[in-house]
Structure formats: C-alpha cells, structure tokens
Amino acid sequence: MRLSRYFLPVLKETPAEAQIVSHRYMLRAGMIKQQSAGIYSWLPLGLKVLKKIEDIVHEEQQRAGHIPVLMPTVQSADLWRESGRYDAYGDEMLRISDRQGREMLYGPTNEEMITDIFRSHVNSYKDLPLTLYHIQWKFRDEMRPRFGVMRGREFLMKDGYNFDLTKEDALHAYNRHLVTYLRTYERMGLQAIPMRADGGPIGGDYTHEFLVLAETGESEVFYDSDITDLSFGDRDVDFDDHAACQAVLEEFTSRYARTDETHDDAIFAEVPEERRRTARGIEVGQIFYFGTKYSETMGATVQGPDGKPVPVHMGSHGIGVSRLLGAIIEASHDENGIIWPEGVTPFHCGIVNLKQGDEAADGACDSLYKSLTALGLEPLYDDRSERAGAKFATMDLIGLPWRITVGPRGLKNGVVELTSRRTGESEELPPEEAVLKIAQIYGKAAS
Ligand code: P5A
C-alpha cells in the first residue's frame, strides 16, 4: 500500500479522553473512531490488525477440530426466557423491540442460541463430541465503558461451545480449549496466564480466565511468580489425546494464580513469600465448564448408548478479539508509539523514501515494493513529499516491526537501511538482502 493513497488519519494531538496508552495510540494512529460511548468504527489500520487476530483465532480453533458457524447479533427474548437468563442478565442486556412489538435483544453471548441449534439438529450420542464456534459482535451495556476497545459496549468475541456425552469428555473439551488459547495468545506475542476465576452470569464454578499482566489492567490478580517462566512454545499437542491435554492444563494451572473473585489468603500464604505477587491484569479470555445448566433447561438431550435420552454436558469458551488489540499495545509499545509483534502487524514492513522525486530513490523504493509484494508480503510505502522526521514519526507511531529507509546517499553505495522498531538497531545492506531478510523473518521463501 502506498501511504499517499491510503486512509490513515493520524492525529498529532493526544486525545484528552484517552486515559491509557493503548487507547491513546489507537486513536492517534487512526485505527478507531469512537461513535458513541464504547462503540467504535474500525478504520483501515485497526481493521487490518483485527483481521490478523481473527485469522490466528480461526487457525488455532480449527487446528483443534472446532467448527466455525455464524450466529446473528440480534436474538429473541423468548430464547433467553427458556434458560431463565432474560431477567437475570439485568441492565447489561440491550433490549430492543421490532415493529411487531416482539422483544429482541442484541446478544451479549450465545449459550442459548447455540443450544437451540444443537437441540434442533443433534439427536444421538454418536454425533458427539461437537464444538462449534463463531467470531461475532456482542453488546453489553457496560456501566463504565472505558479504555477504548478494552471495555467496549459493542465488542468482537470469539465464542465457542462444546457438546459432550459425559462430564469427562466435556472436561477434555475444556482442556483442549486451554491448549488452543495458550498457543493463540503466544502467536500474538502475549503471555496470558490462566487463573482460577468466577463463573458470573455465564455460570458454572469450574472456570479459568486468561490474564495478560499490565499495570492498566482492570482485574486484580494474585499469583506465584514461577508461573511467568512457563511458555507453550512450539509443542505439537494431539488434541484427541485426553492425557496430553490434561498434562498441559496441570502444567499451567498447578501454581497459585487467581483473580480477586476466587483469591484465598490462606492458600496464597503457602506460596514462598519471595514468589508471591499481587498485580493487575487484562482479561483476554475465559473458559467455562457448566455441565447441564443449559441443556437441561432447554431440552438439549441426545439418545445415549442405552437408548435413553440424556442432557449433554457443555462448556463455553471466549476470547476478547477486539480487546486483544488494546492488550497487545499495552504489552508492546514505547514512548514513540506501538510496536506490533510480527504475528499481528498490519503491514509487514514500512518503506521510507527520504527523497521523494529523486529518480534513484523512487526507483529503488518501487523495486523494493514489487519484490516484497511478489513474496506475498505487504509493505506500507511512505511515498508522501514529507520531511524524513515526519515519516519516521508516523512509522514509529503505527509500529510496523521493520522499516527500510531509502535515500540517494545510501543508494550511491548500493545500500538501504533496515531498522528494527523493537530494538531501534539499524544495518545497511543491499536492497535485495533487505528483502531476503524480511522474507526470512516472516517465513516466506525467497528464490
Ligand atoms: C464464553 C464464551 C463469555 O461470555 N460465553 C461465550 C462466555 N465469557 S466472558 O468472559 O464474559 O467474555 C469472554 C471474553 O470477552 C471479552 N470481553 C470484552 N471485551 C471488550 N469489551 C467488553 N465489554 C468485554 N466483555 C468481555 C473478555 O476478553 C472476556 O474474557
């Protein structure tokens, strides 16, 4: 993409309403625009990152055998009356009525709807196990929407639902989700720690939240510092292997790590003092096992092996897709702007032309652009007639991990400059080598 043809409404001023760095940078980098409290338009740069995050979520869910569907945002109140949650959900639910006066709502979550789909189409235990998921907008009329996309009223969630014959199978589905979530967050450059939490309005008392430690996080958390040494890495877990998934759960949850809702001072005191930590965290996901809570009230039964109908065991599993942009920025930025991890960056690299209009510089930039694009990479080429300083400031703010700087002086010596946004380190090298290096970083083969 050429910057001169793009829509990147960067702000010079720091918006007064933004209290935390991720919100400030998302507004300044022209990623989002607030339309009402907690409701945002996604501008091109923000949308690109959102899509990258969605792609990772889809890949990791499908790797585990979970099947994508798409349910609507608007649901009928009657469905929620069946589970008893229509009244219980309270003021966080946005209630609407259609022209016939029928009561509808903008879905805050989809347990009821997925249970309805299940009971309409699945009758036998032979069709289990089954896990369906979607990535869809939700609405929760939060008391205090704030921090931009972190606590929105309209927000994007990945929500998945498992249906199993037995509790044991449903707990395997729970473990499978834990494994997929660990890998998902790591691919986004995040360490998200599973912590024992509370079921809240979703229900069930077996649940873990995934928290990214950050001073600006809204949750207070208590944990054993040993837990931060764990990383999922490049493991190839067999998702059909119950014991293997259970082992991952045990490895990642055996140390003390709890949100304030489930924190227990007496148990925490057993952790050696030098390892006890109290901190703040951003909740980027939560998994639940709630057994037959919805299947019993809504009649989601299957015929068991003995021919008798049994209610299915269920759980639900959520990732805060739009919130993740904020969490990633909180975890990865400096005083000049965002530093995107390679896995979610909106463009793979920037190209800065120091002297627009100079024949050699323009030609070298065009050729770099072509070579990178041919390798399946997406560069953002700053081809504006701006000062070098302004171009660097924009690149730093929007946070592309790599920048190639091209100027007449370097070209005389046959080199361009390749700079890492994270370390600030630069090296001079011939343009073809810069392309090769970027291709290697992103795992694209250059011939
Ligand atoms: C699990 C999936 C559920 O709703 N039902 C379906 C279960 N869980 S949850 O914890 O309530 O939400 C899942 C994740 O969504 C994100 N989230 C939000 N993101 C932005 N703004 C909000 N107001 C908001 N509320 C929840 C969180 O990341 C949460 O873990």
Side-chain angles (χ1 to χ4, degrees):
M1 178 57 68
R2 285 170 174 267
L3 193 44
S4 64
R5 297 178 193 168
Y6 201 41
F7 180 58
L8 184 72
V10 163
L11 306 180
K12 290 223 167 56
E13 308 296 318
T14 297
E17 76 270 24
Q19 298 164 34
I20 63 171
V21 69
S22 56
H23 190 194
R24 274 201 295 279
Y25 284 158
M26 286 185 79
L27 292 171
R28 283 197 46 214
M31 297 175 68
I32 51 170
K33 174 178 171 13
Q34 182 174 311
Q35 304 294 163
S36 303
I39 302 178
Y40 292 87
S41 288
W42 291 80
L43 305 182
L45 193 74
L47 181 62
K48 258 177 156 305
V49 182
L50 193 67
K51 291 288 166 203
K52 291 260 175 123
I53 292 176
E54 284 187 54
D55 288 347
I56 293 177
V57 170
H58 275 300
E59 279 173 31
E60 294 305 329
Q61 288 310 302
Q62 288 171 44
R63 190 201 289 271
H66 304 163
I67 303 168
V69 293
L70 185 59
M71 292 175 268
T73 53
V74 176
Q75 310 187 19
S76 93
D78 284 342
L79 198 53
W80 285 65
R81 289 207 173 87
E82 286 190 51
S83 71
R85 281 209 295 181
Y86 187 63
D87 294 322
Y89 217 91
D91 287 341
E92 258 185 34
M93 180 180 275
L94 181 63
R95 295 156 206 262
I96 327 166
S97 55
D98 69 11
R99 65 201 297 164
Q100 326 283 359
R102 275 188 292 254
E103 291 171 280
M104 312 292 285
L105 57 100
Y106 193 130
T109 176
N110 287 61
E111 279 81 6
E112 284 77 359
M113 191 173 276
I114 201 84
T115 305
D116 178 54
I117 292 173
F118 181 89
R119 71 182 172 185
S120 307
H121 298 289
V122 183
N123 304 308
S124 165
Y125 77 97
K126 290 180 188 147
D127 296 324
L128 305 182
L130 181 65
T131 294
L132 301 171
Y133 79 94
H134 70 165
I135 298 180
Q136 178 61 291
W137 294 93
K138 304 285 184 284
F139 197 96
R140 293 183 185 174
D141 203 351
E142 299 276 352
M143 179 100 88
R144 283 216 295 161
R146 58 179 185 157
F147 301 161
V149 299
M150 286 281 206
R151 182 162 297 277
R153 292 199 294 164
E154 188 183 45
F155 61 97
L156 192 59
M157 191 201 286
K158 169 262 159 183
D159 40 326
Y161 306 85
N162 68 283
F163 301 91
D164 288 279
L165 181 62
T166 63
K167 177 173 179 180
E168 192 210 329
D169 287 349
L171 290 177
H172 172 58
Y174 186 94
N175 298 345
R176 217 171 47 226
H177 280 89
L178 180 121
V179 174
T180 65
Y181 281 24
L182 290 171
R183 191 201 287 275
T184 299
Y185 298 124
E186 274 196 20
R187 282 186 63 185
M188 298 172 188
L190 290 174
Q191 181 175 41
I193 304 172
M195 301 198 182
R196 277 307 287 264
D198 182 73
I202 306 295
D205 53 13
Y206 188 52
T207 173
H208 284 90
E209 282 183 8
F210 288 76
L211 287 117
V212 173
L213 299 176
E215 278 168 27
T216 48
E218 292 190 279
S219 314
E220 188 175 27
V221 298
F222 303 83
Y223 64 97
D224 176 340
S225 65
D226 268 7
I227 205 155
T228 55
D229 296 337
L230 295 174
S231 82
F232 188 78
D234 225 6
R235 308 176 202 200
D236 189 15
V237 177
D238 176 356
F239 286 107
D240 291 327
D241 183 340
H242 287 220
C245 293
Q246 173 72 25
V248 174
L249 173 108
E250 279 166 19
E251 179 184 348
F252 281 83
T253 62
S254 61
R255 294 173 187 75
Y256 192 95
R258 297 190 183 194
T259 63
D260 54 0
E261 300 151 345
T262 56
H263 174 62
D264 182 322
D265 267 327
I267 306 176
F268 195 42
E270 290 166 19
V271 177
E273 193 173 356
E274 69 279 8
R275 297 202 329 239
R276 262 181 253 152
R277 299 280 187 285
T278 304
R280 303 203 65 84
I282 302 166
E283 180 204 329
V284 291
Q286 187 164 4
I287 53 178
F288 301 82
Y289 164 71
F290 42 67
T292 56
K293 170 174 171 175
Y294 299 89
S295 57
E296 270 188 69
T297 51
M298 296 183 64
T301 56
V302 291
Q303 202 171 51
D306 59 2
K308 293 196 182 118
V310 279
V312 287
H313 285 259
M314 292 173 60
S316 69
H317 315 275
I319 292 182
V321 173
S322 48
R323 175 179 287 182
L324 272 166
L325 277 95
I328 293 168
I329 297 172
E330 289 297 323
S332 184
H333 67 268
D334 64 14
E335 65 284 1
N336 298 321
I338 302 165
I339 306 175
W340 291 115
E342 269 111 9
V344 299
T345 184
F347 293 95
H348 295 101
C349 69
I351 301 173
V352 168
N353 187 343
L354 291 178
K355 197 156 188 205
Q356 207 67 44
D358 176 272
E359 208 175 312
D362 291 2
C365 287
D366 284 342
S367 128
L368 277 168
Y369 190 91
K370 278 204 189 104
S371 312
L372 290 161
T373 311
L375 289 168
L377 293 163
E378 252 191 305
L380 179 66
Y381 171 21
D382 191 344
D383 61 341
R384 299 170 303 163
S385 305
E386 286 275 352
R387 295 177 297 111
K391 292 189 175 186
F392 290 149
T394 301
M395 284 293 173
D396 282 352
L397 175 64
I398 68 173
L400 310 184
W402 298 93
R403 186 185 81 208
I404 306 176
T405 310
V406 180
R409 208 177 313 152
L411 288 175
K412 278 204 187 106
N413 301 320
V415 295
V416 295
E417 193 182 53
L418 179 64
T419 308
S420 154
R421 173 70 182 86
R422 190 169 293 281
T423 65
E425 281 165 23
S426 291
E427 62 175 315
E428 293 196 328
L429 69 189
E432 317 77 68
E433 279 181 35
V435 170
L436 211 62
K437 200 149 181 184
I438 291 180
Q440 270 164 3
I441 289 164
Y442 290 104
K444 305 273 181 190
S447 53

